[in-house]
């Protein structure tokens, strides 16, 4: 596992913050009628205007700049020309390379009115991300993060925790060791040391945990067609309290100010 220097952590914070700023641009303008392809272009242009590279494009052949995962799409949804509708939930996942360092995170937006059960799924998935982050401290193990997320979602609410996809280390590469599953046992897995950077990303289904990948080789959907929520933060392991490199506060401020988005759960 690669542990970063303080100077490298500062650079990674800049990369993560650029992703947060990009998602903030999305939060400002998202509304029913907009297409996820339009969002893809806005994000790619914004990142390039800030002297960075959208890192997902061409990553293992991925053909777009963001992942836009609507409703029953869990992750890796292709941006497309279908207008978003009132009642949709959409996760926008974006990666950048800035000065050689990766930022990679995601946020799920709610367009207008949704059922109370979907609102709760969004709320609890975001909460579970922070429960996991609380465990990202020195001398804990990866399994402590995993367990905290699973505990809050599967055991407490009966949601489906996706097994096939996991969080990961982050640095000069988009995916570094260790893998960070959203399910697992306390006290197991690699031990966490200071300045390990992790992308922690719960993918939580309202119904069953079963998923499948579409013919396009990327789009992951729930088997039962029920919605799924995805949040992701870039986090640096520290002694007493993890340092979150990405910044939801600016995204949330824009989300609150946008009357087309539903932020009533927090
Ligand atoms: N956040 C996702 C991940 O860490 C996004 C990868 S999409 C890809 O795996 F297109 F870049 F693969
Ligand atoms: Co990721």
């Amino acid at each position: 596992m690669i542990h970063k220097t303080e100077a490298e952590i500062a650079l990674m914070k800049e990369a993560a913050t650029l992703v947060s700023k990009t998602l903030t641009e999305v939060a400002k303008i998202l509304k029913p009628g907009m297409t996820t392809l339009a969002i893809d272009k806005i994000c790619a242009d914004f990142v390039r205007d800030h002297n960075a590279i959208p890192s997902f494009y061409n990553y293992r052949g991925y053909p777009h700049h963001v992942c836009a995962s609507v409703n029953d799409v869990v992750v890796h949804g292709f941006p497309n020309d279908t207008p978003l509708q009132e009642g949709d939930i959409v996760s926008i996942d974006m990666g950048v390379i800035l000065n050689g360092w990766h930022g990679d995170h995601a946020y799920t937006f709610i367009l207008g009115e949704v059922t109370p059960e979907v609102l709760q799924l969004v709320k609890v998935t975001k909460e579970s991300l922070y429960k996991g982050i609380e465990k990202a401290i020195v001398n804990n193990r990866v399994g402590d993060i995993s367990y905290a997320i699973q505990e809050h979602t599967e055991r407490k609410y009966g949601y489906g925790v996706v097994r096939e996809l996991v969080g990961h280390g982050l640095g000069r590469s988009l995916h570094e060791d260790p893998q960070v599953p959203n399910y697992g046992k306390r006290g197991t897995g690699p031990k966490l040391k200071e300045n390990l950077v992790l992308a922690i990303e719960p993918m939580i289904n309202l119904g069953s945990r079963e998923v499948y990948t579409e013919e396009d080789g990327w789009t992951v959907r729930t088997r039962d067609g029920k919605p799924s929520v995805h949040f992701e933060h870039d986090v640096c392991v520290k002694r007493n309290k993890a340092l979150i490199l990405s910044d939801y506060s600016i995204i949330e401020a824009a989300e609150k100010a946008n009357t087309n988005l539903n932020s009533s759960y927090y």
Side-chain angles (χ1 to χ4, degrees), residues 116-193:
E117 57 178 0
V118 171
L119 202 61
Q120 181 179 267
L121 177 69
V122 176
K123 173 176 190 273
V124 169
T125 303
K126 195 196 269 186
E127 286 170 357
S128 78
L129 172 55
Y130 288 103
K131 301 263 182 200
I133 291 170
E134 277 178 30
K135 303 295 178 190
I137 54 174
V138 170
N139 286 333
N140 271 359
R141 289 177 183 271
V142 168
D144 296 313
I145 299 171
S146 307
Y147 177 87
I149 294 168
Q150 186 179 18
E151 179 70 15
H152 190 63
T153 54
E154 196 172 270
R155 280 182 278 272
K156 199 156 167 210
Y157 290 89
Y159 295 150
V161 175
V162 174
R163 300 298 199 268
E164 288 82 351
L165 298 136
V166 297
H168 50 95
L170 186 73
R172 285 198 180 274
S173 305
L174 177 56
H175 296 126
E176 296 182 356
D177 285 342
Q179 295 199 338
V180 185
N182 298 304
Y183 55 93
K185 286 191 170 62
R186 278 181 287 195
T188 67
K191 199 176 249 193
L192 303 176
K193 292 199 285 184

Side-chain angles (χ1 to χ4, degrees), residues 55-57 59-60 62 64 67 75-76 93-94 104-106 165-168 174-175 199 201 218 230 232:
S55 61
F56 292 176
Y57 185 70
Y59 179 82
R60 300 188 181 188
Y62 186 76
H64 297 281
C67 301
V75 286
H76 303 164
D93 190 352
M94 173 93 212
D104 164 30
H105 68 95
L165 298 136
V166 297
H168 50 95
L174 177 56
H175 296 126
E201 47 180 322
W218 284 99
H230 177 218
E232 179 176 17

Side-chain angles (χ1 to χ4, degrees), residues 64 72 154 237 247:
H64 297 281
D72 63 317
E154 196 172 270
V237 172
D247 182 5

Side-chain angles (χ1 to χ4, degrees), residues 199-242:
I200 303 178
E201 47 180 322
M203 290 152 267
I204 309 296
N205 299 348
L206 182 60
S208 130
R209 72 188 195 205
E210 302 298 323
V211 300
Y212 68 97
T213 305
E214 277 187 21
E215 292 296 298
D216 63 20
W218 284 99
T219 310
V220 179
R221 281 186 196 269
T222 60
R223 277 237 180 264
D224 61 13
K226 292 185 181 177
S228 183
V229 172
H230 177 218
F231 284 97
E232 179 176 17
H233 258 315
D234 300 334
V235 171
C236 179
V237 172
K238 291 288 182 189
R239 233 179 286 280
N240 296 312
K241 191 172 186 288

